[in-house]
Amino acid sequence: MYFWDAMEVYRFENIQSVWKEYEVIWLKDQFEVQLELTEGKLIFPNFTYERLVDRVEKIVCAEIFDPEKSWKPVTEALEKKGKSVQVNPAISKAQSFNFSQQQRKELFSKLLRLTEGC
């Protein structure tokens, strides 16, 4: 079974575990192979430029996720119940770039202006 996904390898491992009786081949971001294998029947969504820009802006300019705010209350609640909790130290490294939301909005606007007419 062939599949393509430009995301992390964990998806490959998940798919492989579900389709154990098949040889699973991860094409990474090579969608062209999938397109050829499906004999042109693969249809990609047709989004307008404005819709894509809006989506990217929402992602880039969103409030930054703070991993500590998500796991700390859970671990504290479990520890109060007498559970032993360990948190992967890599979670604290999962931080975004160090710009405020306002700075990211300004940078995004500048980038849009620079790409006008491209």
Side-chain angles (χ1 to χ4, degrees):
M1 179 179 82
Y2 293 93
F3 81 99
W4 63 272
D5 185 343
M7 302 306 269
E8 298 295 324
V9 71
Y10 73 89
R11 289 193 184 167
F12 172 64
E13 293 164 353
N14 288 345
I15 290 172
Q16 202 170 29
S17 69
V18 174
W19 296 87
K20 294 176 185 167
E21 62 277 0
Y22 292 88
E23 178 184 5
V24 180
I25 300 170
W26 177 31
L27 300 170
K28 298 182 179 151
D29 64 348
Q30 299 172 5
F31 70 90
E32 300 89 351
V33 175
Q34 192 80 20
L35 186 62
E36 185 178 314
L37 290 169
T38 58
E39 299 174 347
K41 294 176 186 164
L42 185 62
I43 300 171
F44 293 97
N46 190 11
F47 296 116
T48 64
Y49 174 80
E50 291 77 18
R51 184 171 176 194
L52 292 173
V53 167
D54 182 58
R55 179 70 181 126
V56 171
E57 182 178 18
K58 285 178 181 171
I59 293 168
V60 171
C61 299
E63 191 173 324
I64 295 177
F65 170 71
D66 182 355
E68 190 169 320
K69 285 182 182 176
S70 67
W71 62 262
K72 199 167 190 172
V74 174
T75 58
E76 288 172 351
L78 289 170
E79 286 171 343
K80 282 181 184 176
K81 291 182 177 183
K83 304 283 184 184
S84 174
V85 179
Q86 293 182 350
V87 177
N88 185 333
I91 196 166
S92 63
K93 294 178 185 173
Q95 295 182 5
S96 300
F97 40 87
N98 227 0
F99 293 106
S100 71
Q101 188 175 24
Q102 183 59 38
Q103 287 172 313
R104 286 181 278 125
K105 286 180 179 182
E106 290 170 9
L107 283 170
F108 189 80
S109 294
K110 286 179 185 178
L111 286 171
L112 277 182
R113 286 192 300 273
L114 287 172
T115 60
E116 284 178 2
C118 292

